[in-house]
Amino acid sequence: MPGTVIRGAVVVDGTGAPGRVADVAIDEGRITDIGAGLTGTTTLDADGLVLAPGFIDMHAHSDLALLTDPEHLAKVGQGVTTEVIGQDGLSYAPADDTTLAEIRRTIAGWNGDPPGFDWNWRTVGEYLDRLDEGVPVNACYLVPQGTVRMLAMGWDDRPPTPAELDRQRELVADGMRDGAVGMSSGLTYVPGMYADDDELTELCRVVASLGGFYAPHHRSYGAGALEAYAEMVELSRRSGCPLHLAHATMNFGVNRGRAPDLLRLLDDAIAAGCDITLDTYPYLPGSTTLAALLPSWASAGGPEALLARLADPAGQAEIRHAMEVEGSDGCHGVPAEWDTIEISGSPDPAVVGRTIAQLAAESGRAPFEVYRERLVADDLATTILQHVGHEENVRAIMRHPCHTGGSDGLLAAAKPHPRAWGTFPRYLGHYVRELGVLSLEECVSHLTGRAARRLRLDRRGLIRPGYHADLVLFDPAAVRDAATFDDPKRQAEGVPHVFVAGTAVVADGRRTGALPGRSLRRSPDGTTR
């Protein structure tokens, strides 16, 4: 007799097929049966709630949150049961003592840097072992190309020597053999952005040979965005590596209404044999660090070298010209629009929720000077929102057959982007129920089955007998993102029950405290288990 039966649910199984009312039996972490009149030792009456596979967050920044926040309500409260971390080319493994200290400082704005935390790993395998000690949800890891480059050759803005390229290949291969599902890049973040296409192609060949995929944050989401996408498609073609485009959108005024151009590019590449998927979040503003807007050359040599340039009048003048006149690569080729840049995380609560333009007007100073002072005061760890998106682009891209969902949620900020707490219920509530952009079944397939196929998950992402019981029950009439830009840390509504490996992590809308999640590792046969 199965342990638990979820009775009378509308089963939306992740394939895109129409939902149907059925009972679903769970035992020992697996789905054992789907049918009518099933019995078990425990019964949960769904009363017409939708039962779906647990959502897969294809772009998450929970690298530390999984280990430091056992509640992790931001994600489990949405129905997320698997997250893909190690994103944007910057994470904490592989590393040595020096590199780990630099990485911690570099992405403190993304993830925080908790005092007293035990950084007891250096390899990808050791980090995944740490996750296996018990976390709220499952996690897949991407080898971060920027971290690999930092470990192999520091912060230098130059091509690698043959020995340094060999070292990078070795580090990527080691990470893949340890269980990573692919490699990420942040090509508007240093030092990863210093790599040219030949260097990236060589690393992608290693990833492809070991059954992984490449997930780049490409070189521009503004001026030159389409060219940057085309660069990644060509890199995939040259290397033979499957491509997953991170937070794939077209931002800034220069790209209003240009999503069809991107989709034509992808359709042509797919028709020619390229293996391409993408993820998006269902919001208009983006989110990153204040330092990410700098021209790449300003960060050559590492954080101390950058701070020295920011303290030098001549360096300040060069940086200001690059940002305000030229449109630096960190600004995606668009001259800085100070009224679109809102501070979301800073040790100074007085600046949180204010744009650079507002702070400048109130103080009677130039926006660049406010920007520079904030970077220095926060030791480069300030996080921001960028109000640069377009609704027509967001809707067009989410309809595409290769689309999946990713929150890109930064959890450590004082006032984070609400996507960290609301991405998946926003898809289901706003874009399915309210706007009808996607059908319910189609949207669930984007957020589950399609993502599972990209990750090559073994018996996850669908509701079928024998599959792992990573499941979410939600109310299709009530599910919504309660998180807002003014109040972003609010639990999603209409998601009363969430299971990871058959264990309830949310019951009746409340976190249970269970930690059944673990790392999901790429196996030698190419599947992720």
Side-chain angles (χ1 to χ4, degrees):
M1 181 178 292
T4 299
V5 169
I6 301 171
R7 180 177 294 158
V10 178
V11 177
V12 177
D13 65 6
T15 66
R20 62 188 179 96
V21 177
D23 301 340
V24 175
I26 301 169
D27 191 33
E28 296 185 352
R30 301 282 183 132
I31 299 166
T32 58
D33 200 1
I34 303 170
L38 303 181
T39 59
T41 55
T42 303
T43 299
L44 175 60
D45 287 321
D47 294 327
L49 297 176
V50 169
L51 181 68
F55 303 132
I56 299 172
D57 189 340
M58 287 295 291
H59 191 101
H61 288 282
S62 301
D63 308 47
L64 285 189
L66 285 168
L67 298 172
T68 61
D69 177 18
E71 289 297 289
H72 204 45
L73 196 57
K75 294 303 181 68
V76 295
Q78 298 183 58
V80 170
T81 59
T82 297
E83 299 186 82
V84 185
I85 55 178
Q87 297 284 356
D88 294 331
L90 292 168
S91 191
Y92 306 101
D96 57 18
D97 292 351
T98 299
T99 302
L100 182 58
E102 293 174 336
I103 285 291
R104 287 170 56 185
R105 183 178 185 182
T106 299
I107 56 176
W110 290 0
N111 301 328
D113 190 18
F117 182 74
D118 183 10
W119 300 86
N120 68 341
W121 68 80
R122 294 298 180 269
T123 68
V124 170
E126 290 168 349
Y127 173 72
L128 298 180
D129 288 343
R130 179 73 173 269
L131 296 177
D132 286 344
E133 294 175 11
V135 288
V137 301
N138 301 315
C140 298
Y141 191 73
L142 296 165
V143 179
Q145 171 259 329
T147 301
V148 164
R149 197 177 206 269
M150 192 187 307
L151 187 55
M153 54 185 293
W155 294 81
D156 292 350
D157 182 3
R158 60 172 175 81
T161 66
E164 289 167 341
L165 183 56
D166 285 344
R167 178 61 173 149
Q168 290 187 70
R169 289 192 191 100
E170 178 185 14
L171 290 166
V172 171
D174 287 346
M176 292 293 299
R177 293 189 183 106
D178 281 349
V181 297
M183 182 180 75
S184 74
S185 285
L187 299 179
T188 64
Y189 299 127
V190 292
M193 68 192 302
Y194 298 144
D196 64 18
D197 288 355
D198 289 339
E199 180 179 337
L200 294 171
T201 297
E202 289 301 311
L203 301 184
C204 283
R205 285 176 174 146
V206 174
V207 173
S209 73
L210 294 170
F213 64 91
Y214 180 44
H217 163 133
H218 55 280
R219 297 190 193 274
S220 177
Y221 291 82
L226 200 63
E227 292 78 7
Y229 281 113
E231 176 192 5
M232 295 299 98
V233 169
E234 176 61 14
L235 192 156
S236 174
R237 187 196 64 77
R238 287 175 58 191
S239 66
C241 189
L243 178 66
H244 180 83
L245 295 165
H247 37 63
T249 188
M250 301 282 283
N251 285 336
F252 302 90
V254 295
N255 288 316
R256 184 181 296 276
R258 294 194 68 199
D261 297 337
L262 167 62
L263 300 180
R264 278 192 295 272
L265 169 69
L266 301 184
D267 286 339
D268 289 346
I270 292 168
C274 289
D275 181 357
I276 299 174
T277 52
L278 57 84
D279 64 69
T280 69
Y281 48 83
Y283 295 85
L284 302 189
S287 180
T288 186
T289 60
L290 201 59
L293 308 183
L294 291 161
S296 58
W297 54 260
S299 298
E304 293 303 327
L306 169 57
L307 288 169
R309 292 184 183 101
L310 290 170
D312 173 59
Q316 294 172 29
E318 288 185 72
I319 293 170
R320 182 173 183 175
H321 182 82
M323 294 184 68
E324 294 189 333
V325 179
E326 296 174 352
S328 71
D329 46 8
C331 285
H332 302 271
V334 178
E337 299 170 341
W338 300 115
D339 60 335
T340 69
I341 300 167
E342 176 187 348
I343 294 174
S344 61
S346 169
D348 181 358
V351 303
V352 173
R354 315 287 288 170
T355 68
I356 297 294
Q358 287 172 330
L359 293 171
E362 291 166 4
S363 64
R365 292 177 296 158
F368 177 80
E369 187 59 23
V370 171
Y371 170 84
R372 186 193 69 83
E373 289 186 2
R374 190 77 264 145
L375 283 176
V376 174
D378 293 353
D379 196 29
L380 309 176
T382 320
T383 54
I384 60 170
L385 303 178
Q386 280 187 284
H387 297 272
V388 293
H390 306 290
E391 181 68 22
E392 64 270 38
N393 288 347
V394 170
R395 295 191 195 188
I397 294 170
M398 74 170 63
R399 292 189 184 103
H400 195 270
C402 70
H403 172 263
T404 65
S407 70
D408 195 14
L410 304 180
L411 300 171
K415 192 178 180 184
H417 196 303
R419 67 193 185 192
W421 289 72
T423 286
F424 295 88
R426 183 169 176 81
Y427 271 118
L428 296 165
H430 186 58
Y431 285 97
V432 170
R433 184 180 64 245
E434 297 175 3
L435 299 180
V437 174
L438 298 168
S439 72
L440 177 62
E441 290 85 355
E442 184 180 14
C443 185
V444 168
S445 74
H446 288 217
L447 307 181
T448 60
R450 289 187 187 180
R453 286 198 300 274
R454 166 50 78 209
L455 297 170
R456 299 173 71 177
L457 296 181
D458 179 48
R459 289 171 291 180
R460 297 180 192 271
L462 302 175
I463 297 180
R464 287 179 176 170
Y467 273 54
H468 294 270
D470 298 340
L471 301 167
V472 56
L473 269 169
F474 65 88
D475 183 346
V479 63
R480 75 178 189 95
D481 53 317
T484 66
F485 286 98
D486 290 333
D487 189 5
K489 296 183 179 182
R490 294 180 62 190
Q491 183 180 349
E493 297 178 1
V495 186
H497 300 282
V498 184
F499 298 85
V500 174
T503 297
V505 293
V506 174
D508 295 318
R510 293 184 294 274
R511 182 73 172 90
T512 67
L515 299 173
R518 61 177 180 84
S519 68
L520 303 180
R521 308 192 193 201
R522 183 60 51 89
S523 302
D525 67 2
T527 59
T528 303
R529 296 186 173 93

